[in-house]
Amino acid sequence: MMLGLILASALTAAQPRLLPQPQSVAVQGEGRALRSVRIEGDARQAGARLKELLASQGIAESASGYRVRFVLKPGMPAEGYRLITDKSGATITATDEAGLIHGAVTFWQLASQGADHRVPEVTITDAPRFAWRGVMLDSARHFQSPAFIRHLLDWMEAHKLNRLHWHLVDDQGWRLEIRKYPRLTQVSGSRVPASAPGAPALPPVSGFYTQAEVRALVAYAAERGIVIVPEIEMPGHATSAIRAYPKLGMGVPLPKDVWSDWGVFPWLYNTDEPTFGFLQDVLTEVMELFPSPWIHIGGDEAAKEQWKTDPSIQARIKALGLKDENALQGWFMARVGKLLAEHGRRMIGWDEVLEGGVPADATVMSWRGIDGAITAARSGHDTILSPAPVLYLDHRQGTGPQEPPGRGMVVSLADVYAFDPAPAALTPDQRRHILGLQANLWTEHVRTEDRAAWMLFPRVSAVAEIAWSASKGSYADFISRLRPQLDRLRPLGLAAADTAFQDPPAAGPLRTCTDKLTLDLEDDYPATGPRARLLVDIMNPCWMLDGSDKARRIALTVGQLPFNYQLGADRAKIVFRPPATAAGEFEVRDGCEGDRLAVLPLAKAADNPGTTRLEAPLSRPARSLCITYTAKGPDPLWAVQKAEVLP
């Protein structure tokens, strides 16, 4: 009796550390060390994938190796598998190729837990909670190489993720070769990043994917059980197309270099027949490249000022008997959705598509929180959860100096793991419309591939867990399984954010007064090499600093940035006190509405493209110092890198 309890306890303690957590794991014995494998059965893609994954751990294939047998058998759940191992070998059974691949990934995880690659004797029964388990990568704002995309697909496979939503076009760039319209990439495949007045020009951001490269990446993804879903934005986020072919727009000229701005642009496609011909031609080539059942056509952030003031658009609304510009967008999207349906494809749109009416078979991607998903599911639409801010991985995951630039709000690994993809507001029948979830990496402020990997992982690991596993364990249990998972991925080229495991640093003494649109930005100088980091709420450039009864002076290290933000009418909400000098000045007050305690003229900094240290006496000590600057307008944007109170 006692021996049985001891053995049971030992086996429980030896539970394999797998990620995502399988549905059921029964450990029967300690198994055997693995030196080589022999792959048999209905392997096809899965056998090749297992061979490559094990090779990353130094485990080769040989005729005398540990037998791994793949079996296709009807009747199992989609993408599900059963893995049974004992001392004589392993059997992976599934109904589809994806299930065999997921079983191969689990076997690889078992074999990579220790130095001797010991595979325990187990029976694992597993299947995904959601059919859509995805990552969105924005390649429009900053281009990533095909080699990086292949790495990302490898890392996704290792987490049993199955959808790569590829954001290929936006206002800033068009990254997909369209043979009928070569100017899309010739003109809009490159831009020069914005820089503050007087700063040297920055290197251009350039690149696009040839159709041959896309076909190779689609095949590479399919070998790993991953579908690449392309996104071609419309009717908004169309500046790159209009830049290449101006007749697609509303006739409103594009300001010079506006394509290097961020934000919500007012340039939309027009609704003329030649424009729909262009979109049909583009989507025809897209569908030839991507066999995905879904094509994402955007629909978000379509600012309609130009539509509202254009006589031809107003005539079109009247002729169609539509209520307003939102209804016109609904008509626009439905027309494109019909084109996709005629080719056996389904449209996906961001949740704004609900505002103007949407085809019955459209899938809605909810990004403005989860409300869009709730509305879509209640209306009978399939929906995918990708809510900001919690699944928007352009947010910082910490405040330490190692974190790359991004949105100022912190979305930690724990925040992502805590996300609940089953909204309580939905009935069980309505929840069946939730296809799954995905994490989104927008790259306005993610200019390198190393930073993209850092921002993605390990937070994507948390997304994989909650998308696959029906019962989520504790955060501590998740971390215990995440550490070996990241160890497995290092040979596959992943350098994840190790700061995710560190205690968050104490809040710094300098912080923004508000959080309307806070960004952790990188200075635009120098063109190469390290750059200063500047935290600023661009809607209210104001900082708070803890003072001291002994403070007699204050020192600010400040830098200037280009104000390259398309904010529409919201730009007028950014107000400053009038400057007393031509260059303006920083002001320090006792609280933001209190007395002015110090003035730091900006003349010294105005001609310096880098950061400048300014220092001035305080008229008296104060416990809470509010730091702002005077200006005639928001461009250039000044920000504080460091603030110090001095005796």
Side-chain angles (χ1 to χ4, degrees):
M1 179 69 174
M2 182 59 70
L3 178 59
L5 289 173
I6 292 172
L7 287 173
S9 176
L11 291 175
T12 299
Q15 282 286 316
R17 293 187 291 174
L18 306 174
L19 198 154
Q21 180 67 49
Q23 280 185 356
S24 171
V25 181
V27 181
Q28 287 94 27
E30 66 175 8
R32 57 171 282 186
L34 203 65
R35 292 181 177 83
S36 61
V37 294
R38 182 177 78 257
I39 297 172
E40 300 177 353
D42 302 318
R44 290 188 288 176
Q45 297 169 222
R49 297 304 311 128
L50 179 59
K51 179 180 177 180
E52 187 172 327
L53 288 168
L54 291 175
S56 72
Q57 298 292 325
I59 301 169
E61 187 177 23
S62 76
S64 60
Y66 181 82
R67 179 181 59 84
V68 181
R69 183 167 174 258
F70 288 91
V71 177
L72 281 169
K73 179 181 177 181
M76 297 182 69
E79 296 191 82
Y81 66 93
R82 182 171 61 251
L83 168 60
I84 301 174
T85 66
D86 57 29
K87 287 185 172 62
S88 65
T91 301
I92 299 170
T93 307
T95 291
D96 50 36
E97 188 70 28
L100 293 180
I101 292 171
H102 298 325
V105 167
T106 298
F107 183 85
W108 164 68
Q109 291 188 7
L110 289 172
S112 56
Q113 292 189 103
D116 63 350
H117 304 301
R118 183 169 297 276
V119 175
E121 296 180 33
V122 296
T123 298
I124 296 175
T125 303
D126 202 8
R129 179 184 184 185
F130 290 110
W132 188 291
R133 307 177 305 281
V135 172
M136 189 223 72
L137 179 66
D138 171 13
S139 296
R141 274 58 177 262
H142 282 96
F143 176 80
Q144 302 88 27
S145 67
F148 178 83
I149 307 295
R150 286 192 291 273
H151 276 309
L152 176 57
L153 292 166
D154 290 341
W155 306 333
M156 290 176 63
E157 175 195 36
H159 287 85
K160 301 184 175 74
L161 295 164
N162 65 350
R163 303 284 184 265
L164 176 61
H165 169 186
W166 202 4
H167 190 79
L168 286 162
V169 304
D170 214 301
D171 295 299
Q172 294 77 15
W174 188 289
R175 304 294 178 200
L176 177 64
E177 178 189 17
I178 300 296
R179 289 176 176 168
K180 190 167 184 178
Y181 299 99
R183 284 178 57 83
L184 289 171
T185 49
Q186 291 171 354
V187 173
S188 297
S190 183
R191 65 176 175 85
V192 176
S195 54
L202 296 171
V205 175
S206 302
F208 66 92
Y209 304 98
T210 67
Q211 294 200 359
E213 288 172 330
V214 169
R215 287 192 176 93
L217 288 168
V218 167
Y220 191 90
E223 291 168 359
R224 287 150 180 79
I226 299 169
V227 175
I228 299 182
V229 180
E231 182 181 1
I232 306 297
E233 281 269 20
M234 60 187 77
H237 290 283
T239 305
S240 61
I242 296 168
R243 177 186 173 194
Y245 295 98
K247 289 185 178 180
L248 298 172
M250 302 301 304
V252 180
L254 295 173
K256 184 177 184 296
D257 295 330
V258 71
W259 40 85
S260 291
D261 286 358
W262 311 125
V264 180
F265 289 55
W267 288 274
L268 273 61
Y269 286 114
N270 62 47
T271 60
D272 298 342
E273 288 306 310
T275 297
F276 283 106
F278 165 84
L279 293 172
Q280 178 172 335
D281 293 340
V282 167
L283 290 171
T284 297
E285 291 196 33
V286 167
M287 288 185 283
E288 290 171 355
L289 293 170
F290 295 94
S292 163
W294 306 273
I295 305 293
H296 202 307
I297 57 173
D300 62 309
E301 297 180 327
K304 300 180 176 65
E305 290 85 353
Q306 293 180 9
W307 276 10
K308 290 178 180 178
T309 58
D310 184 81
S312 64
I313 290 290
Q314 294 304 307
R316 173 77 97 167
I317 291 173
K318 184 176 181 180
L320 292 170
L322 300 175
K323 177 183 177 182
D324 56 18
E325 293 76 20
N326 282 340
L328 182 65
Q329 177 173 335
W331 170 83
F332 188 113
M333 302 300 278
R335 179 166 173 172
V336 176
K338 181 181 178 182
L339 167 68
L340 297 177
E342 289 169 352
H343 290 78
R345 310 300 180 92
R346 293 183 63 182
M347 68 166 276
I348 300 178
W350 298 105
D351 57 47
E352 286 96 329
V353 299
L354 293 167
E355 297 168 3
V358 65
D361 65 344
T363 298
V364 176
M365 189 166 279
S366 181
W367 74 275
R368 296 178 296 178
I370 64 171
D371 290 347
I374 292 171
T375 301
R378 286 174 174 170
S379 302
H381 292 286
D382 288 343
T383 185
I384 300 157
L385 292 160
S386 61
V390 68
L391 296 187
Y392 268 45
L393 304 189
D394 53 334
H395 286 82
R396 299 183 296 170
Q397 54 196 319
T399 58
Q402 290 177 271
E403 298 300 331
R407 288 186 174 267
M409 179 181 174
V410 171
V411 175
S412 70
L413 177 62
D415 293 331
V416 176
Y417 190 70
F419 175 67
D420 181 3
L426 296 178
T427 67
D429 283 344
Q430 292 167 346
R431 287 181 188 174
R432 283 197 279 269
H433 284 292
I434 297 179
L435 299 183
L437 62 152
Q438 72 178 33
N440 297 338
L441 181 63
W442 302 102
T443 61
E444 288 97 329
H445 311 297
V446 185
R447 65 183 177 92
T448 71
E449 293 175 356
D450 288 347
R451 290 177 177 178
W454 182 285
M455 299 293 268
L456 285 165
F457 290 93
R459 291 183 291 185
V460 162
S461 304
V463 172
E465 173 93 353
I466 59 180
W468 179 278
S469 303
S471 57
K472 185 170 66 175
S474 68
Y475 183 64
D477 172 69
F478 167 69
I479 293 296
S480 74
R481 292 180 287 109
L482 176 60
R483 290 182 184 275
Q485 175 76 345
L486 296 181
D487 289 341
R488 297 179 190 110
L489 291 169
R490 286 191 185 95
L492 300 182
L494 176 62
D498 51 19
T499 54
F501 302 104
Q502 300 173 4
D503 291 333
L510 184 68
R511 54 203 180 275
T512 59
C513 301
T514 54
D515 190 18
K516 297 178 180 179
L517 185 47
T518 302
L519 301 174
D520 185 12
L521 297 171
E522 190 173 47
D523 196 2
D524 58 333
Y525 177 86
T528 59
R531 302 179 189 173
R533 295 282 292 283
L534 301 162
L535 184 69
V536 58
D537 182 345
I538 67 168
M539 297 300 298
N540 180 30
C542 173
W543 300 261
M544 296 300 298
L545 178 69
D546 294 334
S548 166
D549 291 339
K550 299 180 180 179
R552 295 293 180 268
R553 300 183 65 79
I554 186 166
L556 303 178
T557 302
V558 303
Q560 56 179 314
L561 297 158
F563 192 87
N564 58 319
Y565 301 97
Q566 291 288 322
L567 299 175
D570 286 343
R571 182 178 175 125
K573 298 177 183 178
I574 307 171
V575 295
F576 301 89
R577 292 185 176 93
T581 60
E585 44 278 325
F586 268 87
E587 297 182 332
V588 182
R589 283 180 161 74
D590 182 0
C592 290
E593 301 301 325
D595 298 337
R596 191 172 67 180
L597 305 179
V599 177
L600 298 88
L602 279 167
K604 175 183 174 182
D607 295 329
N608 181 8
T611 57
T612 304
R613 180 182 168 88
L614 308 173
E615 191 172 326
L618 291 166
S619 60
R620 61 175 173 79
R623 283 289 188 178
S624 181
L625 302 176
C626 179
I627 303 166
T628 58
Y629 64 89
T630 65
K632 295 179 180 178
D635 195 10
L637 176 69
W638 288 93
V640 180
Q641 181 194 28
K642 184 179 179 181
E644 306 165 85
V645 289
L646 307 171

